Amino acid sequence: MSFLEINNVVKRFGSLDVLRGINLSVEEHQVVCLIGPSGCGKSTLLRCINGLEPISGGEIRILGDRVSGAGVDVDRLRRDVGIVFQSFNLFPHMTVLENICLAPRQVLKLSKEEAESRAIELLRRVQLEQKAKAFPDQLSGGQQQRVAIARALAMQPMLMLLDEITSALDPELVAEVLDLVRDLAAEGMTMLLATHEMGFAKEVSSKVCFLYQGVVHEEGSPERIFGDPTEDRTRGFLKSIIEAGRM
Amino acid sequence: MNTHSDRFRAPSIPKSAMPLSTAALLISSLTTLLTWFVLWQLALAMAGVTEEQVAVSLEKKMYWSAMLARVSDLPWFAWLVLAVLALVPLLLFFPTVKAILQARQARTALQFENLIAARVATANSSNFSWYAIGYSVFVVLFFGGIWFVIAKDIAVGNTFFKLDLMWEKASLVVSAFLTNVFIFMVAQVFILIWGLLIALARMVPGAAGQPIRLLATLYTDAFRGLPSVITIYLIGFGLPLTGFPILGDLPPVWYAIFALTLTYGAYVAEVYRAGIESIHPSQMMAARSLGLNFTQTMRFVIVPQAIRRIIPPLLNDFIGLQKDTALVNVIGTIDAFNQSRILASNNFNLSTVTIVAILFVLITIPQARLVDRLLEKDASKTRGAK
Ligand SMILES: Nc1ncnc2c1ncn2[C@@H]1O[C@H](COP(=O)(O)OP(=O)(O)OP(=O)(O)O)[C@@H](O)[C@H]1O
Ligand SMILES: [Mg+2]
């Protein structure tokens, strides 16, 4: 039994079939990367796993427990599955500390002291403890994204979903965020991430999945996908990435 | 390439600032003359000269001697006020003279082919000219207003601004105004809560929320369409007639509060809703993704952000509400307007109503400034230096 199993998941927006039967599994402590052209459904898949979008068909299981479909306690699911977005989505009216403490206090019912000491610890590890009292708009993009990661980690999730977390950042800020993800991977955090950073994907992932037209077109070890892809579409995609100078 | 170098070989020469500054001079002068004319009329009015007396003196060809004799009786402080007012339009000549000097400087600079200096001086000159013209309009309107009040033997003044009457009745009207203040203060608190409830009811998610959404929509549609004076009338006269235990025998002020809460609750619900919907859906998504449920998300993330955005339109509705407290006179409540109307008909003069008008305007101004201050403070707290 895998940690996360995605069986034949279908997602439609009206008449638009975005996911047409995704099959994918993630083992505990694995880092799985989703790559693929823009609009192929990477973000949609991650949002479905987190229950932010209801799926139109198939099923999603975590540790054998079905977490998709009617009657599932999505708030409970989201406690165990953290997600970080491309656009940070920090709460602009709260300080960094308040951003991080909100969910632990309201959802996990931690005391203020407990939540804050947990938050400070996380801020220290993302090297932002001196920014605890700052508001999001007073931070750089890279700093905001690190806070967003800390905020998700504060719920101590079993699985982290990262949706192109560096694509809104200036190149010199990408490294500080990727370093953090690299550390998380080394600690054994189970992660599923959509990314356009092919070099990074090659380096950290246990498995790479190429999404194309709503299905997993090809999957395999990073060495194989990047070194010797068997499918034409995968080759074409990687070629265009190399031509764009992103690998 | 060619066009570029052409353009820079023929730099644009600033247009002469002379005509505009001359116009400014003309306008300032006319404004000054008008002001002095109005002040002379004002002096005559203060000295109690009637139109008839003016006509007589003109007929006898002794206008100036007769009028000066009358005016010279005015007390010294009246003269002081008039003199100060007469100096006001002269301030217009500071920018006007500067405009003319700058325009001349621009012309000299052009003669010496100093293009940059010419541009700067031209820009300065036109700024000063518009400044003078703008304030001239202001002064003209101000003194035009005074003229309107004192014309025809102070017809307007005596109808609307009879100072002795206003002074005498002010305390009565002001204490009646406290009823208006009470009504809108209490109603505002209810409206803030009630409006938010309605707004949230209109946004309850899911199929199960449909009946609630429908009810809330019906309510807002009905009460936004209903004129508040009719709501006040129906509730203020209707509910006591029904004889319901508590609802039937409240003091009239509470019916007014109830009716205004119903009406303005519908408006404010829409303001809340617009504010909530203006918060980007990604905020909702981020909060839900952390495991917060709908209510927690609204309470901690969405509503606090929405409130900051809706404060200005909310103030608008509250000012509307404050003014509508004057409608309670239809159910016989003695508010400031009703009180002043009684006084007006007893004295055959509208000046007491003017007091109410002034009171309503006066209470809104500090509120507007307070809101500006609050928003500024909040913005400077959360915004970065960017
Ligand atoms: N809420 C929505 N309603 C309708 N269509 C949607 C919605 N969200 C996404 N889509 C569509 O689904 C498709 C997949 O979108 P998605 O955001 O998952 O792509 P992506 O793989 O993440 O692309 P990118 O690499 O550009 O982020 C797109 O065609 C998009 O227009
Ligand atoms: Mg995406």
Side-chain angles (χ1 to χ4, degrees), chain B residues 86-146:
Chain B
L87 290 177
V88 168
L90 295 180
L91 294 176
L92 293 173
F93 287 95
F94 284 105
T96 309
V97 168
K98 278 188 193 153
I100 289 172
L101 290 177
Q102 290 285 324
R104 291 181 57 174
Q105 203 171 317
R107 200 164 56 187
T108 325
L110 264 189
Q111 276 162 6
F112 289 96
E113 300 199 337
N114 188 346
L115 208 54
I116 294 180
R119 282 183 190 150
V120 171
T122 307
N124 282 343
S125 169
S126 93
N127 268 346
F128 282 124
S129 299
W130 284 116
Y131 189 77
I133 293 171
Y135 268 102
S136 294
V137 172
F138 187 94
V139 171
V140 165
L141 289 177
F142 182 76
F143 284 94
I146 292 184

Side-chain angles (χ1 to χ4, degrees), chain B residues 222-223 225-239 255 259-260 262-263 324 327-328 330-331:
Chain B
F223 278 89
L226 210 56
S228 32
V229 66
I230 295 182
T231 313
I232 294 173
Y233 198 82
L234 287 177
I235 287 178
F237 283 132
L239 281 186
Y255 291 118
L260 287 169
L262 285 178
T263 303
D324 272 4
L327 297 174
V328 301
V330 299
I331 54 171

Side-chain angles (χ1 to χ4, degrees), chain A residues 13 16 18 37-44 47 53 86 164 196:
Chain A
F13 288 111
L16 179 70
V18 178
S38 183
C40 68
K42 302 181 293 290
S43 302
T44 307
R47 285 210 291 265
E53 295 280 3
Q86 177 176 350
E164 290 181 34
H196 286 305

Side-chain angles (χ1 to χ4, degrees), chain B residues 166-205:
Chain B
M166 287 168 87
W167 184 245
E168 190 189 323
K169 305 295 183 197
S171 66
L172 260 178
V173 176
V174 169
S175 64
F177 192 67
L178 293 180
T179 307
N180 298 69
V181 174
F182 176 75
I183 292 175
F184 72 68
M185 292 282 236
V186 177
Q188 276 170 6
V189 175
F190 287 158
I191 289 165
L192 279 178
I193 299 165
W194 178 236
L196 181 59
L197 287 178
I198 296 295
L200 291 176
R202 285 195 72 167
M203 306 178 93
V204 177

Side-chain angles (χ1 to χ4, degrees), chain A residues 83-122:
Chain A
I83 186 166
V84 182
F85 304 95
Q86 177 176 350
S87 50
F88 331 143
N89 299 348
L90 295 178
F91 307 130
H93 61 300
M94 297 182 179
T95 62
V96 164
L97 195 65
E98 288 163 346
N99 262 278
I100 298 175
C101 289
L102 177 66
R105 289 199 61 199
Q106 299 305 326
V107 180
L108 304 179
K109 308 290 177 201
L110 295 191
S111 71
K112 188 164 189 274
E113 293 71 35
E114 257 178 299
E116 285 190 353
S117 72
R118 189 188 276 193
I120 297 281
E121 208 170 294
L122 281 165

Side-chain angles (χ1 to χ4, degrees), chain A residues 47 50 52 75 78 81 83 85 89-94 102-103 106-107 109 135 137-139 151 155, chain B residues 282-283 285-293 296 299-301 304-305 308 380-386:
Chain A
R47 285 210 291 265
N50 193 257
L52 289 168
D75 294 331
R78 291 170 187 148
V81 180
I83 186 166
F85 304 95
N89 299 348
L90 295 178
F91 307 130
H93 61 300
M94 297 182 179
L102 177 66
Q106 299 305 326
V107 180
K109 308 290 177 201
F135 285 89
D137 285 351
Q138 297 162 339
L139 301 181
R151 185 174 70 174
M155 295 296 284
Chain B
S282 61
Q283 288 286 311
M285 203 168 66
R288 296 305 298 270
S289 79
L290 289 167
L292 278 84
N293 60 31
Q296 290 169 328
R299 177 167 159 215
F300 296 109
V301 178
Q305 292 184 59
R308 289 166 166 79
S380 69
K381 192 182 76 177
T382 61
R383 297 286 138 73
K386 312 180 229 181

Side-chain angles (χ1 to χ4, degrees), chain B residues 239-240 243-251 255:
Chain B
L239 281 186
F244 276 121
I246 300 162
L247 273 182
D249 38 44
L250 291 171
Y255 291 118

